[in-house]
Amino acid sequence: DIAQKLLPITVPDGMEYAIWAGTAYNASAAAHLAYNEFELARRDVAHARQKHDLCNCPIGLVYTYCIEALIEYEQGRFYDCQLAVDHVETMLKEWGISVDSTTAAVIKIPKAAVLYSWNQLNGAKDLLTRYLPLIEECSYIEIRNMAFITLARVFHQQGQTETALSLLDRSLEINSECSLARSKILMCCERMKILITSNRLGEMHRQMRSIGMKPSQFPKLPNEWDRLECLQIFVWCLYKTNLEPHSNLIPTIEHMQKLSLKYERYHHMMEIMLLHVRLLCTLQQSEQAL
């Protein structure tokens, strides 16, 4: 909200202002992405790319393509996300920028997330273990969260559950230092997914309460997609589906499913639909689940 109030500042078109204009457009694109305004985010990415091209600013261009990759990832377009990453990797070689630099690390995280989504666990793990230390405490927050979450998922898939949980704890520790509420809920959600599959239900209950959610209290359903509010509701649905499954949960899940479709949050929509399927299976409604 604060960023968007600061951004509508007219920037002169001259070459000497290009780096500042590109930076402003990148920030605006990131804000639009957070508000589900994907077309506006794409528009600002295009403007940012033009400005950073004009002043030949490598780090500005890397962040421009990084935000573009996140836009595609959030909408479930993994191939397009990969294309944005490939473009940056080609540019890094042309510029002679080291693959072990912080600049290079920023774009490697979406690449790892795509590899994980394509079930290429070892490739994702190699990238994340190499580049997470470079962006652990000083990077675009969405990139940092993506790195911790994806690496934790890889470790959990490979049977190293405690390592996965400790990674999420490390991220929570960093986020608590800068009071980022959404990041805390995001990590708690990931912890709950791991705890469910590990049958550690008591810990899951405590995790639920740590983000201020009461299992017995149905949440008020929003009419718009708010990243913080909708994530909290998903955590609540995740908890109830696994510990207290009941048909009265279906309207809440269906509402969230329609909301994610309306706002083109296809990546989240798939997660909600899978949760819906799990609930129906638990309730022995196999035809509806299919």
Side-chain angles (χ1 to χ4, degrees), residues 107-117 123-125 127-128 150:
I107 200 65
K108 298 293 185 180
I109 305 308
K111 181 176 184 176
V114 168
L115 288 175
Y116 173 82
S117 299
K125 184 178 181 180
L127 284 175
L128 290 164
T150 307

Side-chain angles (χ1 to χ4, degrees), residues 13 80 93 142 156-157 171 245 277:
D13 289 329
D80 290 329
K93 289 178 183 177
E142 299 299 333
H156 179 56
Q157 288 285 345
S171 182
V277 168

Side-chain angles (χ1 to χ4, degrees), residues 8-9 37 69 81 119 122 125 147 160 163 184 191 193 201-202 204 212 221 226 249 266 287:
I9 300 169
E37 297 165 347
C81 177
N119 205 36
N122 288 331
K125 184 178 181 180
Q160 300 180 58
T163 303
K184 179 181 178 182
R191 282 185 61 87
K193 291 176 187 176
L201 305 183
M204 187 177 168
L221 298 180
D226 176 86
L249 299 175
Y266 303 126
E287 289 300 317

